[in-house]
Amino acid sequence: MEMLLSTKGITICLFFVVLSLAAAIEIPLSVSQLPTITEQSHTQVAYPFDEDFTIKCEARGNPQPTFNWTKDGKPFDLSSDPRIVTSNNSGTFVIQNRGIINNFQGKYRCFASNVLGTAMSEEIELIVPSVPKFPKEKIEPLDVEHGDSVILHCNPPKGIPPLHIYWMNIDLQHIPQDERVSMSLKGDLYFANVEESDSRSDYCCFAAFPRLRTIVQKMPMTLRVSRLKHANDSGSPNAAVTKANFIKERKPKLLIPPESAGVSSSVTVIKGGVLLLECIAEGLPTPHLSWVKVTGNMPKDEPETENFGKILKIDQVTAADEGTYQCTASNPMGRARHEFNVHVEEPPQWLKKPEGGVYSVGTNLVLLCEAIGNPEPSIQWKLNGMPIDGRTFRGRISTREISLTNLQLQDSAVFQCEASNKHGTILASANVNVLNIAPLILTSDGENYATVVGYSAFLHCDIFASPAADVGWTKDDSIEPLSAFRYELNKNGTLEIRDTKKEDSGSYACWAANSVGKRAITANLDIRDATKLVVTPKNPRVLKSHSVLLKCQAEYDSHLKHSFKLSWRKDGDELPVNSTEGGRIVLDRDTLFISSVLLEDQGVYMCVASTALDTAKAEVQLIVLDVPDPPEDLQLSENQNRSVRLSWKAGASHNSPVNESIIEFEENHWEPGRWQELSRVPGDDTTALLSLAPYVNYQFRVVSVNAVGRSQPSKPSLRYATPPAAPDKNPENIRVEASEPNEMVMKWEPLKPMERNGPGLEYKVSWRQRGVETDWNEELVKKHSLSVRNVPTFVPYEIKVQAVNNLGSGPEPNITIGYSGEDVPDAAPSGVSVEVVNSTLVKVFWFGIPRDRVRGHLRGYKVSWWKTKSMLDGKRHHPEKHFLTFVGDRNYGMIPGLEPFSEFRLTVLAFNSRGDGPESSPVVFETPEGVPEQPRFLRILNFDQDSVTLSWGLPKKANGHLTGYILQYQIINETHEVGPVSDVSITNRSTLSWRLAGLSPSTKYKFYAKACTAKGCGKAATEEGLTLAQGTYAGIYDGISTQGWFIGLMCAIALLTLLLLTICFVRRNKGGKYSVKEKEDLHPDPEAQSIKDEIFGEYSDSDEKPLKGSLQSLNGDIKATGSADSLVDYGEGEHGMFNEDGSFIGAYSGSKEKGSVESTGSSTATFPLHA
């Protein structure tokens, strides 16, 4: 090798190993070698149903071995029978199943030979079974007396084990077996004593040979059982039997083992086999069998027995089972015993087997052969299949060892060691190949290897050489030695590079040399990037029935793209690529989607990425959250009259700890089937002491709760009934209700069913007039009310209600004060006066009625008012009553929403729960003038470049004498910016149009028109318009107002309006109902602001139905507004309007400006009090 390297001019420091090949590598077939048996048959059975039987023997060697056979130790010529078929270069032969083949039965041995030596197989036994048959024989009937013992012999034919024996009748019904009648291991049927019922003529023994697929039957046997002759004089058959039994009674006698065997016998069993010891006894009464081990202990506390205790069975026998066993048969008449001395033996087993190998010339050889067994096996050495003759053998030979020194080529041979005892023979062969050849490198030259960064690389250099060769590796012609830290040369010549790096890529050379010659090969190594995986999300927690998506992100070397594969596993088992469970689990390359997650989906999911060079794995733990499983095994303990302890076992929490357990109960008396909550306990607790009510038949169940939700309820516990007891409490919410003045109805909340505590629940009601009576009036009732008549009107009573049942009374009840029936007040308020606050608001004062005139609980006062005439035109009005209710004991109230400049009348009355008292005498008052409502309309009649003509209508309500109008206008634009407001005052109240001049051309204006009284001006009507540009005419009414047809249309509309007003006036004078209160805008006035915190009552029209079809304002411009916006500022109340017959006809209305009052009559309303 050094010479070879020196030709390259390089000196490289290499590490070498001496490759020992004695037993490390198989000899290449190209090298001369001894024969080696590679395959052989073992025990073979020639079943009659098989077409042929193959006996195998294959061997390898160089030169190609030839084969010879022996049968029963004698040469066997395979060509001696045409039924034997052989193959070239093989020792295997086939025997065709034709004709009689019994002569093929025997023990065969195969010999494979070439010029170097002979290999020998183990013995191969061929068994040719005959078809088992029972002999045809005539079996004489067996006549016995009652109580005798009998043996029916089977004597089955020989056949291939296993053998199964059955005793049946001619109808194939099994003969019943027990302690009295049983079958022995050999198949005989034993009767410890016979009975007359044992008589039959069809006792048949069947022998089954499963491996031969054969069942054979013995001829039927007849057994006749008769009574004793001297017992026939008895008059009764039963008495005769009894007498016979008495005469036949005897102590046990062993039939197996027979008496001839003595009191003991020896049994040999093979180690690892099954020990069966059998004792069968006869006697009357039937003996009972028992077993003990005299020396040592039984393998088990309870020995395993079969056949009704008659067979002792020990499986897998060991040396510890050796010893003396005793069986005892006993009945009342005595005992019989037998001892079995059990010896455990074993066939030969190897301790050391001779090992062959490749040896170089001049070396030494030592072969060892040691075996154990019981009896101790004998050792025999053979050379090339023949016994060694110590006289001619040049080496040393002993029982356990053979040695040779200075081996030469001609010493090559096959050595055989055979160990034998009576239980078997074992064979071991050792091929000693003495060779002298130059190294053979079995690995191909120029092999390409690849691995990934971080993995180990293995560059192979399989070498065969004798003598052993020196082996080394170099890299890329480098003079640097290979580092011993990461580079390791294995014994078979393979170079292992651990923890590879990119720089390990390159060309490597393997060198081998011995004293005969030298060889070398090269190998190329590529280092690829390692595959990396990440699975997201990491360890997800998913609610059951929800979905989860797992994604596997992979990085791998681009050179490995074509071999890259991705798969998913769950708990180690690979998931199929196609969707599973009807599409619930879907694998799509790097994603795993699970919809409607189930509990069984929980587990470890692993993404596995594999390439031609490496495998990467990443896993996540999928945790499925669900409600807990229901609790189980509910138990009741610590039973008391008023309590019981409930315990349970918690169900699986499904990865979300149980927060609490809810205990529910159901009782089967009052509400059977309805479960109610009784108690709650923290999640860790599985027991609770439950407080119970008397006289309830409980059953309980438990519901577990975790963060996901509630479990299903557990199965109910057993029922638990508590004994009855007296009531623990009395009724509550005791009150007095009465519909008549001289009546008192006492009511209370009845006890709940669970509060009754026992049967016969009644209520003991006690009452007396407070401060008048000293003795209690009492009455027992079953209902939860009691009516008492002929009592004074509205006087206080002391009342008690006590619960009573069959077991006693409840606790002493508390006294409740109640009043007898009320009557309406019989007096009216006095001193009624009115203070006018402003044009729509007045304050009413009065003196309340005396307490004794209320005749009940004072609920409050009602103020009623109605308009009598208008101060503007002096016209009288039909009285349309309105009222406000003021709750409580008070002496004033605010009346809002009045019409300005009108005359009203007002009364006050007191009311209680029974009804209204008499009204006070009417008080007359007048409201001052107010500001008018806005004009009915504002229109632009004509536009010009610098002027506009406006027209407006009268206000809806003048609320006083009109003094004139105020017109206002200002410039507006599209950006909502406005100019200053200009005013024009019109003092002539009859003027309803006006021309405004001095306007800018082509400018947008907003116009306002307000009506005024001496009180002030009202809300403005508005309109917008655009003046004309210079030289043009445009506008809302441009070119229309000057047309004749337009003037005619306006006149027609005016006439129609006048006609409608006349019709309305006529209908009203005839009593028709129409709206008398339109929407009005009220400006705030200082007087109203000063009383904004005053208290109002409840305002209402009446309880009559509203008028259907009431007329609205004639021009239809009025929009309804809600009353609550302004009235809530003052107080609670209902308000509406009434005509003279009390029907509701209209509504108050007003602006929503601060301080104004606005109302509609669509419904009654209640306003909060600001007292």
Side-chain angles (χ1 to χ4, degrees):
M1 188 173 188
E2 292 177 356
M3 292 177 61
L4 184 60
L5 293 175
S6 65
T7 60
K8 301 174 71 175
I10 301 173
T11 302
I12 301 179
C13 181
L14 299 174
F15 59 84
F16 296 92
V17 298
V18 177
L19 195 61
S20 173
L21 298 177
I25 193 170
E26 187 177 277
I27 303 173
L29 200 56
S30 60
V31 177
S32 297
Q33 58 189 282
L34 291 162
T36 302
I37 301 293
T38 57
E39 185 179 8
Q40 74 159 85
S41 298
H42 296 283
T43 301
Q44 182 98 354
V45 177
Y47 294 110
F49 41 79
D50 290 337
E51 294 183 358
D52 52 47
F53 322 109
T54 301
I55 300 180
K56 292 183 179 180
C57 180
E58 303 292 340
R60 65 189 296 270
N62 189 2
Q64 174 68 37
T66 59
F67 296 89
N68 295 292
W69 286 88
T70 63
K71 177 176 178 288
D72 298 327
K74 297 178 182 180
F76 179 68
D77 185 3
L78 296 182
S79 62
S80 62
D81 194 306
R83 292 174 292 178
I84 297 177
V85 179
T86 60
S87 302
N88 293 330
N89 298 324
S90 172
T92 300
F93 65 91
V94 177
I95 302 174
Q96 295 178 340
N97 189 3
R98 298 200 309 265
I100 300 173
I101 60 172
N102 291 340
N103 58 313
F104 288 111
Q105 179 165 310
K107 295 182 179 180
Y108 293 80
R109 196 185 289 271
C110 173
F111 295 86
S113 304
N114 65 13
V115 295
L116 298 178
T118 299
M120 180 178 69
S121 73
E122 297 179 5
E123 277 192 338
I124 304 170
E125 183 176 9
L126 177 63
I127 301 173
V128 182
S130 59
V131 177
K133 292 182 181 179
F134 279 104
K136 291 185 178 181
E137 57 182 335
K138 182 179 180 181
I139 303 175
E140 295 295 332
L142 188 58
D143 292 305
V144 294
E145 293 182 348
H146 192 286
D148 289 343
S149 67
V150 173
I151 304 174
L152 299 182
H153 296 284
C154 181
N155 297 325
K158 293 183 179 180
I160 300 297
L163 166 64
H164 301 297
I165 298 177
Y166 308 95
W167 282 90
M168 293 187 283
N169 60 22
I170 201 68
D171 296 325
L172 300 183
Q173 299 294 319
H174 285 274
I175 302 298
Q177 297 186 31
D178 52 23
E179 271 196 327
R180 186 179 65 85
V181 182
S182 60
M183 184 180 71
S184 69
L185 291 174
K186 291 183 178 181
D188 297 334
L189 190 62
Y190 284 77
F191 294 79
N193 51 80
V194 293
E195 299 175 353
E196 287 188 52
S197 59
D198 296 325
S199 296
R200 63 188 316 132
S201 60
D202 57 352
Y203 283 95
C204 298
C205 178
F206 290 84
F209 300 88
R211 294 176 68 183
L212 295 175
R213 307 175 192 175
T214 300
I215 299 177
V216 292
Q217 175 190 345
K218 189 179 178 75
M219 295 295 293
M221 289 175 271
T222 299
L223 176 63
R224 292 195 289 254
V225 181
S226 61
R227 301 181 187 174
L228 285 175
K229 295 178 181 179
H230 53 273
N232 290 339
D233 55 354
S234 174
S236 169
N238 291 335
V241 172
T242 303
K243 185 174 182 181
N245 288 346
F246 177 74
I247 295 173
K248 290 285 188 176
E249 279 186 351
R250 60 195 180 278
K251 70 176 184 179
K253 175 185 175 182
L254 290 175
L255 303 177
I256 298 180
E259 285 188 334
S260 59
V263 297
S264 65
S265 58
S266 295
V267 177
T268 299
V269 62
I270 301 299
K271 181 180 179 181
V274 179
L275 173 63
L276 297 173
L277 301 179
E278 184 178 32
C279 278
I280 297 180
E282 63 93 1
L284 187 67
T286 301
H288 173 74
L289 271 296
S290 61
W291 294 86
V292 295
K293 187 176 183 183
V294 178
T295 58
N297 297 322
M298 283 282 190
K300 301 178 182 177
D301 294 338
E302 286 292 329
E304 182 179 355
T305 60
E306 296 180 350
N307 199 19
F308 310 101
K310 299 175 183 180
I311 297 175
L312 176 67
K313 181 179 180 180
I314 300 177
D315 292 313
Q316 297 293 322
V317 171
T318 65
D321 296 320
E322 200 168 64
T324 301
Y325 295 80
Q326 183 184 79
C327 76
T328 302
S330 60
N331 69 7
M333 307 303 295
R335 288 184 175 86
R337 294 185 176 90
H338 187 86
E339 291 185 352
F340 297 89
N341 298 315
V342 176
H343 303 281
V344 179
E345 298 184 353
E346 60 179 317
Q349 291 187 12
W350 291 117
L351 287 180
K352 291 183 181 178
K353 293 167 55 174
E355 296 183 359
V358 177
Y359 297 86
S360 58
V361 174
T363 59
N364 299 324
L365 167 69
V366 176
L367 298 177
L368 301 177
C369 182
E370 294 184 23
I372 61 170
N374 188 6
E376 183 177 350
S378 60
I379 304 293
Q380 182 183 18
W381 287 95
K382 292 184 179 181
L383 179 66
N384 293 327
M386 301 299 292
I388 297 176
D389 186 352
R391 295 170 298 177
T392 59
F393 184 63
R394 77 177 188 88
R396 295 178 57 188
I397 183 170
S398 66
T399 303
R400 292 190 173 91
E401 182 179 309
I402 283 182
S403 63
L404 280 170
T405 59
N406 191 22
L407 290 173
Q408 299 301 313
L409 294 176
Q410 60 271 24
D411 289 326
S412 294
V414 180
F415 291 84
Q416 288 99 10
C417 177
E418 211 168 39
S420 304
N421 67 10
K422 66 179 182 179
H423 299 298
T425 300
I426 54 177
L427 174 69
S429 297
N431 286 15
V432 177
N433 288 280
V434 183
L435 300 175
N436 192 42
I437 59 174
L440 294 176
I441 300 181
L442 308 178
T443 304
S444 301
D445 189 17
E447 287 279 0
N448 293 315
Y449 298 92
T451 190
V452 296
V453 173
Y455 279 56
S456 291
F458 295 90
L459 309 185
H460 300 297
C461 189
D462 294 336
I463 296 171
F464 181 81
S466 182
D470 294 331
V471 180
W473 285 85
T474 61
K475 178 180 184 294
D476 293 338
D477 299 330
S478 173
I479 62 173
E480 293 296 327
L482 296 178
S483 171
F485 177 71
R486 288 195 306 116
Y487 296 85
E488 181 177 347
L489 185 63
N490 297 331
K491 290 182 179 180
N492 62 357
T494 297
L495 175 65
E496 179 183 356
I497 308 174
R498 293 188 293 268
D499 193 19
T500 55
K501 303 176 181 178
K502 281 285 189 180
E503 53 266 28
D504 290 327
S505 296
S507 178
Y508 292 80
C510 173
W511 303 83
N514 67 3
S515 59
V516 184
K518 306 178 184 64
R519 294 286 189 279
I521 61 168
T522 60
N524 301 308
L525 177 63
D526 288 325
I527 306 298
R528 308 296 188 195
D529 291 325
T531 304
K532 299 178 182 178
L533 288 181
V534 174
V535 178
T536 56
K538 189 69 175 176
N539 299 331
R541 298 169 67 88
V542 184
L543 290 176
K544 181 186 174 185
S545 302
H546 286 221
S547 300
V548 63
L549 177 67
L550 302 179
K551 187 170 182 61
C552 184
Q553 298 171 325
E555 294 181 7
Y556 53 89
D557 194 289
S558 59
H559 295 87
L560 305 175
K561 177 174 64 176
H562 297 294
S563 65
F564 177 79
K565 294 180 180 178
L566 204 63
S567 63
W568 289 88
R569 297 177 185 174
K570 178 182 181 290
D571 297 330
D573 297 328
E574 186 165 349
L575 295 173
V577 175
N578 297 328
S579 62
T580 62
E581 297 187 26
R584 196 179 64 82
I585 302 176
V586 180
L587 277 73
D588 184 10
R589 290 175 294 185
D590 59 346
T591 61
L592 170 61
F593 178 74
I594 307 175
S595 62
S596 300
V597 171
L598 305 176
L599 290 176
E600 50 264 32
D601 293 327
Q602 178 169 301
V604 176
Y605 288 81
M606 178 185 292
C607 177
V608 181
S610 60
T611 66
L613 297 181
D614 69 338
T615 299
K617 300 176 181 178
E619 63 182 35
V620 294
Q621 174 83 31
L622 175 62
I623 298 173
V624 180
L625 307 177
D626 194 13
V627 299
D629 284 344
E632 300 174 339
D633 193 20
L634 273 62
Q635 301 290 335
L636 299 176
S637 59
E638 301 179 22
N639 301 349
Q640 301 294 328
N641 289 347
R642 295 290 188 100
S643 68
V644 70
R645 181 169 293 279
L646 176 66
S647 304
W648 63 91
K649 291 180 181 177
S653 63
H654 297 306
N655 303 306
S656 178
V658 175
N659 300 327
E660 64 176 354
S661 296
I662 302 173
I663 301 170
E664 299 177 335
F665 75 92
E666 181 263 354
E667 52 82 26
N668 60 1
H669 185 192
W670 306 107
E671 294 180 283
R674 178 174 177 262
W675 289 91
Q676 306 174 60
E677 183 175 322
L678 179 62
S679 177
R680 295 192 178 212
V681 297
D684 293 338
D685 292 347
T686 57
T687 182
L689 186 62
L690 306 178
S691 296
L692 307 178
Y695 196 52
V696 178
N697 191 14
Y698 287 95
Q699 68 174 348
F700 307 97
R701 70 182 187 186
V702 184
V703 177
S704 297
V705 183
N706 64 7
V708 181
R710 296 168 61 128
S711 73
Q712 289 294 315
S714 67
K715 292 182 179 178
S717 69
L718 297 176
R719 286 206 174 267
Y720 181 68
T722 54
D728 294 325
K729 62 180 296 186
N730 291 315
E732 298 176 345
N733 192 20
I734 299 170
R735 60 199 182 277
V736 176
E737 298 177 1
S739 58
E740 299 296 333
N742 297 320
E743 180 185 43
M744 180 171 64
V745 180
M746 294 168 281
K747 295 185 177 181
W748 55 89
E749 294 293 333
L751 293 185
K752 298 176 182 177
M754 297 289 292
E755 298 170 342
R756 293 173 174 246
N757 285 12
L761 178 68
E762 293 182 302
Y763 300 102
K764 179 183 175 182
V765 185
S766 304
W767 72 94
R768 65 185 180 189
Q769 188 173 345
R770 187 177 187 185
V772 176
E773 298 177 321
T774 56
D775 295 331
W776 291 92
N777 303 290
E778 294 182 349
E779 188 170 338
L780 274 174
V781 296
K782 293 183 178 181
K783 300 184 298 181
H784 51 280
S785 66
L786 176 61
S787 178
V788 180
R789 298 185 179 277
N790 300 321
V791 295
T793 300
F794 196 66
V795 294
Y797 277 84
E798 294 178 343
I799 303 168
K800 299 189 297 184
V801 181
Q802 185 178 32
V804 179
N805 65 17
N806 292 349
L807 283 85
S809 302
E812 180 63 26
N814 296 324
I815 295 177
T816 301
I817 303 299
Y819 284 82
S820 57
E822 300 183 36
D823 203 350
V824 296
D826 61 359
S830 59
V832 178
S833 62
V834 176
E835 177 186 320
V836 177
V837 178
N838 59 31
S839 60
T840 62
L841 179 67
V842 297
K843 188 172 184 179
V844 183
F845 297 92
W846 63 85
F847 294 116
I849 66 176
R851 179 70 63 186
D852 58 341
R853 305 296 295 276
V854 176
R855 299 203 295 177
H857 296 289
L858 178 65
R859 297 288 302 279
Y861 292 87
K862 290 182 182 178
V863 177
S864 301
W865 70 96
W866 59 96
K867 180 178 176 182
T868 55
K869 68 177 181 179
S870 170
M871 303 297 292
L872 183 62
D873 54 11
K875 189 179 296 183
R876 306 293 275 179
H877 285 262
H878 293 285
E880 299 169 3
K881 271 195 172 182
H882 314 274
F883 67 87
L884 272 175
T885 300
F886 297 91
V887 178
D889 188 6
R890 55 187 296 164
N891 58 3
Y892 71 95
M894 307 293 289
I895 308 299
L898 302 176
E899 289 188 30
F901 209 43
S902 301
E903 180 186 89
F904 292 88
R905 293 197 176 194
L906 178 146
T907 62
V908 182
L909 63 83
F911 68 94
N912 60 19
S913 300
R914 182 71 177 167
D916 296 341
E919 289 183 307
S920 64
S921 299
V923 175
V924 179
F925 66 94
E926 295 177 355
T927 54
E929 285 188 81
V931 296
E933 295 185 5
Q934 69 181 30
R936 294 181 182 275
F937 62 87
L938 173 63
R939 297 191 182 98
I940 303 173
L941 295 182
N942 200 2
F943 272 112
D944 205 343
Q945 294 180 358
D946 59 353
S947 65
V948 66
T949 301
L950 300 177
S951 174
W952 60 90
L954 292 171
K956 301 170 187 176
K957 290 184 180 179
N959 293 336
H961 297 289
L962 291 178
T963 59
Y965 298 90
I966 292 179
L967 298 181
Q968 297 175 313
Y969 59 95
Q970 64 184 148
I971 297 173
I972 60 175
N973 56 31
E974 300 301 331
T975 61
H976 305 294
E977 295 180 2
V978 296
V981 178
S982 300
D983 294 344
V984 176
S985 180
I986 301 171
T987 57
N988 185 352
R989 63 186 182 186
S990 299
T991 301
L992 295 177
S993 65
W994 195 266
R995 182 175 179 273
L996 295 176
L999 305 179
S1000 300
S1002 189
T1003 303
K1004 189 175 184 180
Y1005 283 88
K1006 186 169 185 177
F1007 303 97
Y1008 307 85
K1010 300 178 182 179
C1012 302
T1013 63
K1015 189 68 175 179
C1017 296
K1019 190 176 180 180
T1022 64
E1023 184 62 280
E1024 295 178 2
L1026 185 67
T1027 56
L1028 299 179
Q1030 292 182 359
T1032 62
Y1033 292 91
I1036 297 175
Y1037 304 104
D1038 183 29
I1040 296 178
S1041 60
T1042 58
Q1043 300 296 319
W1045 65 268
F1046 177 73
I1047 296 173
L1049 177 62
M1050 291 297 102
C1051 292
I1053 291 174
L1055 289 173
L1056 180 61
T1057 302
L1058 181 60
L1059 177 61
L1060 289 174
L1061 288 172
T1062 304
I1063 293 172
C1064 291
F1065 181 78
V1066 172
R1067 287 191 62 193
R1068 176 171 179 174
N1069 288 339
K1070 291 182 179 181
K1073 299 172 184 175
Y1074 60 97
S1075 177
V1076 299
K1077 192 66 177 171
E1078 305 293 351
K1079 180 179 178 184
E1080 58 184 30
D1081 292 328
L1082 301 178
H1083 281 266
D1085 94 35
E1087 296 178 63
Q1089 291 294 327
S1090 66
I1091 60 168
K1092 65 180 180 179
D1093 294 327
E1094 287 289 354
I1095 301 167
F1096 288 91
E1098 297 179 357
Y1099 177 72
S1100 175
D1101 290 313
S1102 79
D1103 295 332
E1104 300 293 334
K1105 292 187 290 185
L1107 174 67
K1108 296 183 179 178
S1110 297
L1111 295 176
Q1112 299 297 325
S1113 60
L1114 294 178
N1115 63 4
D1117 292 337
I1118 298 174
K1119 296 180 180 179
T1121 59
S1123 64
D1125 290 341
S1126 61
L1127 291 176
V1128 165
D1129 291 338
Y1130 292 96
E1132 296 181 351
E1134 310 175 319
H1135 79 95
M1137 300 185 67
F1138 292 81
N1139 58 19
E1140 65 271 20
D1141 61 2
S1143 62
F1144 177 90
I1145 64 170
Y1148 276 98
S1149 64
S1151 74
K1152 293 187 180 181
E1153 296 179 16
K1154 186 175 181 182
S1156 66
V1157 178
E1158 180 181 301
S1159 65
T1160 67
S1162 61
S1163 64
T1164 60
T1166 303
F1167 307 100
L1169 299 177
H1170 295 269

